[in-house]
Amino acid sequence: FCLMAVPGKVAAFRLPPLPTVGEIIKLFRLKAQKQLSQNFLLDLRLTDKIVKQAGELKNAHVCEVGPGPGGITRSILSAGVEQLLLIEKDARFIPGLQMLSEAAPGKVRIVHGDILTYKMEKAFPKHLKKNWEDEPPDIHIIGNLPFSVSTPLIIKWLENVSKKDGPFIYGRTQMTLTFQKEVAERLTANPGGKQRNRLSIMSQHLCTVENCFVIPGQAFVPKPEVDVAVVHFTPLVQPKIQQPFELVEKVVRSVFQFRRKYCFRGIE
């Protein structure tokens, strides 16, 4: 199986013939674990579309979170990246990812670990660092996140944005991530909208947040009960609220702890 280049463009890198993602799942007897809220995306047209939302990846350094059987991984490699860091918590997926690594010599580094505890400060070469006021560095985070991890992880990364540490020690690193459609609508909700909540304010005061497109649940294996949305984050040069992250979160959490019509109690 070979990924074709976009018509009219010269492919800098092309994966050699490989088993399909579905064949990898069968070969290594990979079964999505419900308790880990795992859902596999096998349609490479959709994985290509997700990767395209990240922007220009040619010669970029990318970290993919939870690559699983490697569908998005193939699309990232086919985009011509310089280096790809894969962080996968589930050991069952490592052999299949190693197969991809061998197909792209020198491009892939696999870490068997938990993204919530992995130290991103040393994930990329120092020469990629840019000043916060400059254009974003040639570094991207991409991931089809398990639903159980997505909200705590984005809150952690928003705190990193605020403090300019973690993956943002290199500058305004961009993120392209999947969320349940409902969560994505909250992340991108406008002021006064019905979906406006804590996540809306915490994300939008620190980043430009774009709801890119929705993937229907039936595109995943196993099919989740909800649709999934792809969201792109670019940290702002100046946060909209000039206060420490902990204070902003405390105030916003207090405001939204009551039903909407009683939120004045939280403000009090």
Side-chain angles (χ1 to χ4, degrees), residues 22-260:
E23 288 167 350
I24 292 282
I25 289 170
K26 289 178 184 176
L27 180 65
F28 295 104
R29 297 178 180 177
L30 302 172
K31 190 176 180 182
Q33 295 193 358
K34 194 171 183 180
Q35 65 268 33
L36 299 177
S37 60
Q38 291 175 339
N39 300 98
F40 304 150
L41 188 56
L42 309 186
D43 188 335
L44 293 179
R45 291 169 301 179
L46 286 172
T47 61
D48 285 348
K49 192 175 178 183
I50 291 171
V51 170
K52 192 175 180 181
Q53 299 304 317
E56 179 56 62
L57 295 186
K58 188 172 172 57
N59 300 325
H61 289 246
V62 176
C63 171
E64 185 187 355
V65 183
I72 293 176
T73 312
R74 294 177 186 226
S75 295
I76 294 171
L77 287 170
S78 295
V81 297
E82 180 74 20
Q83 287 286 325
L84 175 56
L85 169 64
L86 303 175
I87 302 176
E88 178 54 65
K89 184 179 181 180
D90 192 333
R92 298 175 305 143
F93 296 120
I94 301 299
L97 296 174
Q98 285 172 338
M99 186 183 288
L100 276 176
S101 177
E102 290 162 10
K107 284 187 175 285
V108 180
R109 182 158 58 100
I110 301 169
V111 172
H112 178 211
D114 188 343
I115 188 62
L116 286 169
T117 56
Y118 181 73
K119 302 294 184 186
M120 293 285 282
E121 291 86 348
K122 298 178 181 178
F124 304 104
K126 289 182 180 178
H127 73 266
L128 296 173
K129 282 188 179 183
K130 287 198 174 184
N131 293 326
W132 195 259
E133 297 76 20
D134 295 340
E135 287 297 305
D138 222 2
I139 294 172
H140 298 261
I141 297 172
I142 300 174
N144 174 28
L145 304 178
F147 296 155
S148 59
V149 172
S150 59
T151 300
L153 184 56
I154 195 59
I155 290 293
K156 170 183 163 65
W157 275 340
L158 289 171
E159 183 172 4
N160 290 146
V161 170
S162 175
K163 296 178 178 178
K164 299 176 185 174
D165 60 11
F168 307 97
I169 200 168
Y170 303 93
R172 295 186 296 121
T173 300
Q174 297 177 79
M175 302 182 286
T176 308
L177 307 168
T178 61
F179 297 87
Q180 290 183 51
K181 183 184 174 187
E182 187 181 76
V183 175
E185 288 171 346
R186 289 172 183 166
L187 284 163
T188 56
N190 293 321
K194 288 185 178 180
Q195 295 280 15
R196 191 73 169 175
N197 76 339
R198 178 176 73 103
L199 272 181
S200 315
I201 296 172
M202 296 307 299
S203 57
Q204 292 174 36
H205 107 83
L206 291 164
C207 298
T208 299
V209 190
E210 181 188 358
N211 192 337
C212 303
F213 66 96
V214 174
I215 304 173
Q218 61 258 33
F220 293 85
V221 179
K223 177 188 171 184
E225 295 177 1
V226 294
D227 292 336
V228 173
V230 177
V231 182
H232 184 75
F233 300 81
T234 305
L236 295 165
V237 173
Q238 279 287 357
K240 293 180 179 176
I241 305 169
Q242 304 294 324
Q243 295 293 341
F245 182 88
E246 291 83 0
L247 177 59
V248 176
E249 187 181 33
K250 185 176 181 180
V251 171
V252 174
R253 191 185 292 274
S254 297
V255 169
F256 285 103
Q257 68 177 311
F258 298 98
R259 289 175 62 184
R260 190 172 304 274

